[in-house]
Amino acid sequence: MLLKGTADECHLVMNLSADQRCIFVKTTPDCAQEDGFVDYLRIAFCLFPFHLLPIAVFIFILWLLFLFMALGLTASKFFCPNLSAISTTLRLTHNVAGVTFLALGNGAPDVFSAMVAFSRPHTAGLAVGALFGAGIFVTTVVAGCVALVKPFTVASRPFLRDVIFYMAAVFWTFVILYKHQITLLEALGYIGLYVVYVLTVIISAYIYSRQKHSLHGSLQSGSTQTPDFRSDSDDENPSYPSGSIQDYESEYQPLLPYTMTTTQIFFSSLNPIDSRKWRRMPRFWKAVKMIKLPLEVLMLLTVPVVDPDKDDRNWKRPLNCLHLVTGPLVCVLTFLSGKYGLLYIEGEFPVWALTLITGLFLSAIVFCTTTNEQPPRYHFIFSLLGFLVSATWISMAASEVVSLLHTVGVIFSLSNTVLGLTLLAWGNSIGDCFSDITIARQGYPRMAISACFGGIIFNMLFGVGLGCLLQLFNHHPVLMLELEGLLGWVLAGALGLSLVLSFVLVPLQRFHLGRAYGVFLLLFYIFFLVVALLTEFGKLHIRGV
């Protein structure tokens, strides 16, 4: 099977007259909708007249921004909390949870977008462009902004470890793209390399904590301190007062005991607006909150969230019982664009109806055997359900993003790679950029720079590895990969060069990242972006490429 990023036949639609475009889109295989619920190409060329095409593009851009907002909201408020609850239930150490579940939560939009893009031959360039483009953006723009906001000395061993592993992942991908093919063993190698990375993090954390324990034992005789797996860096993770959150919440507890009815619990749990925070919000963020409000209510209706930090673990009896009905229905009706949910068992009984009846039966059992005040012992199962449902929502949103970007590329005659390294990479990384800068401003720049490199390792290895594995498992012994001419090599070379510069320059500065280095990283990204765009529009080229 061939996954290539070169312009498919669908791009030829812009060379036709306005009255021929609709028929071309309907009859050309490369223009056919494979996944997703909205056929954007037919909307653009069949529903809108030729002179109203700019309006269609404007609507598509607004919808794209909303989809990126949906990806970020689902990942941060529903996917990540359930992953945290699962890791707490499994009693994983902080290091293991950080490089597995936390990395999956932070990189879910990137990984799902890459997997969806790799599943279609004419959008594979989006995956390559997004993964490489996000890597360059995070290691230059985000890291540069952190250095500008809070100059600091980076933890040497974790920094070198992450850069070396990321260089290995990029080099491996570069070799595979040079060979134009990937086998099943090579795809499994991506997953194996990440397992080695996780083991390296665990072992280094253990060695660090043992050294710290030995040092404390020599300085303070009789010490019974146990190894601490929470930090493998030269500084400790920031600790927050354990009682501060509880004290803050207790100020708003009613003085007299008050018991809410089942109906009150249901409607209050569907309200995503905190009245105390709402009063302090600027007008802009209030407007953004109102835009996200319908989406949040939909997520609350379908995705259960388990919070181990709360006394009741976020147990909402009437809403959680409803989740047993809505959650499985979402998974069935959105998986592969609802193809399985619309099937009939023995040609008579629809799958969605069986799912509905089973959910209602389980919901009735849970409602009759539990109380509003006390969560059941099996409450952790709801975190697994929340993980599956939120992952399904993210996958569906990622499918729509990939389809929409492909349509934008057809309209503007842009390659998938340049769309991946710009719009898709920016959309998936802008949330990490703001969060890392905020963390740095709060005085924890080492945590921010660790997040820059640790997360993109997961995205690269799992994005390429799982994306290719899914295609290889579909009875394809070898998967052919092709970059979009010179632009793909510019992208791969720029990412490799940025990592090599970080590997060389940071130790030369004695691991101190100052404002001058931050400016250098930002200028490097601007230079790369200019070269990439000039290459895309044919201003830069190499003879024979």
Side-chain angles (χ1 to χ4, degrees), residues 4-8 11 122-126 129 405-406 408-423 483-488 491 532-533 535-537:
K4 58 188 297 186
T6 55
D8 51 71
H11 282 71
H122 52 274
T123 58
L126 279 173
L405 287 178
H406 178 242
V408 173
V410 170
I411 295 175
F412 290 101
S413 300
L414 296 174
S415 66
N416 288 318
T417 300
V418 77
L419 287 172
L421 70 90
T422 53
L423 294 180
L483 288 180
E484 298 192 31
L486 180 60
L487 179 59
L491 183 59
L533 293 177
T535 304
E536 167 68 13
F537 294 110

Side-chain angles (χ1 to χ4, degrees), residues 76-336:
S76 61
K77 288 196 174 183
F78 298 91
F79 192 72
C80 288
N82 282 308
L83 287 179
S84 177
I86 293 173
S87 63
T88 301
T89 303
L90 297 177
R91 297 181 180 179
L92 298 179
T93 62
H94 289 195
N95 283 285
V96 177
V99 297
T100 53
F101 287 114
L102 182 59
L104 176 59
N106 293 337
D110 305 83
V111 173
F112 278 100
S113 298
M115 291 170 60
V116 172
F118 270 120
S119 67
R120 311 173 189 177
H122 52 274
T123 58
L126 279 173
V128 177
L131 292 173
F132 280 74
I136 299 175
F137 182 83
V138 170
T139 56
T140 56
V141 175
V142 180
C145 290
V146 170
L148 286 173
V149 170
K150 192 76 173 180
F152 67 103
T153 301
V154 71
S156 57
R157 289 174 294 179
F159 177 81
L160 291 177
R161 176 199 66 207
D162 292 344
V163 171
I164 290 173
F165 270 95
Y166 194 36
M167 289 174 63
V170 172
F171 179 75
W172 195 331
T173 307
F174 187 88
V175 171
I176 289 173
L177 293 176
Y178 180 77
K179 292 167 52 183
H180 301 296
Q181 67 178 21
I182 181 172
T183 62
L184 178 61
L185 186 61
E186 291 171 334
L188 290 173
Y190 278 94
I191 312 300
L193 181 60
Y194 193 76
V195 172
V196 174
Y197 172 71
V198 172
L199 292 176
T200 303
V201 172
I202 297 173
I203 294 173
S204 61
Y206 179 77
I207 295 174
Y208 174 80
S209 59
R210 286 295 298 268
Q211 290 176 346
K212 179 183 175 183
H213 176 65
S214 302
L215 179 61
H216 284 192
S218 61
L219 295 177
Q220 190 174 13
S221 60
S223 173
T224 58
Q225 186 178 11
T226 57
D228 182 11
F229 285 89
R230 290 178 295 176
S231 175
D232 66 335
S233 59
D234 298 342
D235 59 340
E236 292 296 324
N237 290 333
S239 57
Y240 304 96
S242 58
S244 58
I245 298 177
Q246 289 80 356
D247 294 341
Y248 172 78
E249 294 293 338
S250 64
E251 294 180 4
Y252 294 92
Q253 296 295 326
L255 295 177
L256 297 177
Y258 173 70
T259 303
M260 298 177 65
T261 64
T262 300
T263 304
Q264 290 174 330
I265 292 174
F266 178 77
F267 285 105
S268 65
S269 58
L270 289 179
N271 182 17
I273 297 178
D274 188 333
S275 59
R276 301 188 299 269
K277 295 180 180 178
W278 178 263
R279 289 191 294 266
R280 298 192 298 269
M281 274 186 176
R283 291 183 179 180
F284 173 77
W285 291 113
K286 285 183 179 180
V288 174
K289 185 69 174 179
M290 293 305 297
I291 295 174
K292 295 192 299 183
L293 188 62
L295 179 62
E296 287 193 63
V297 174
L298 178 62
M299 294 293 107
L300 289 171
L301 282 170
T302 56
V303 185
V305 177
V306 178
D307 190 352
D309 296 330
K310 293 184 178 180
D311 293 336
D312 62 352
R313 299 176 64 86
N314 201 39
W315 167 248
K316 310 293 182 183
R317 178 174 169 237
L319 184 58
N320 288 148
C321 291
L322 180 63
H323 288 150
L324 295 174
V325 180
T326 58
L329 276 177
V330 167
C331 295
V332 169
L333 294 177
T334 60
F335 183 67
L336 292 180

Side-chain angles (χ1 to χ4, degrees), residues 46 351 401 544:
C46 298
V351 173
V401 167

Side-chain angles (χ1 to χ4, degrees), residues 49-82:
F50 173 74
H51 63 281
L52 295 181
L53 186 59
I55 297 179
V57 173
F58 178 73
I59 295 174
F60 288 164
I61 296 300
L62 292 181
W63 179 236
L64 181 64
L65 295 176
F66 182 80
L67 288 174
F68 279 130
M69 183 186 298
L71 284 171
L73 174 67
T74 308
S76 61
K77 288 196 174 183
F78 298 91
F79 192 72
C80 288
N82 282 308

Side-chain angles (χ1 to χ4, degrees), residues 12-76:
L12 300 176
V13 67
M14 299 305 296
N15 298 330
L16 303 176
S17 60
D19 56 341
Q20 295 177 327
R21 291 178 179 179
C22 181
I23 299 176
F24 181 85
V25 167
K26 291 180 178 179
T27 56
T28 304
D30 284 343
C31 297
Q33 179 187 7
E34 299 177 8
D35 293 315
F37 291 89
V38 182
D39 194 335
Y40 299 101
L41 285 169
R42 291 200 180 191
I43 291 177
F45 296 109
C46 298
L47 185 61
F48 282 84
F50 173 74
H51 63 281
L52 295 181
L53 186 59
I55 297 179
V57 173
F58 178 73
I59 295 174
F60 288 164
I61 296 300
L62 292 181
W63 179 236
L64 181 64
L65 295 176
F66 182 80
L67 288 174
F68 279 130
M69 183 186 298
L71 284 171
L73 174 67
T74 308
S76 61

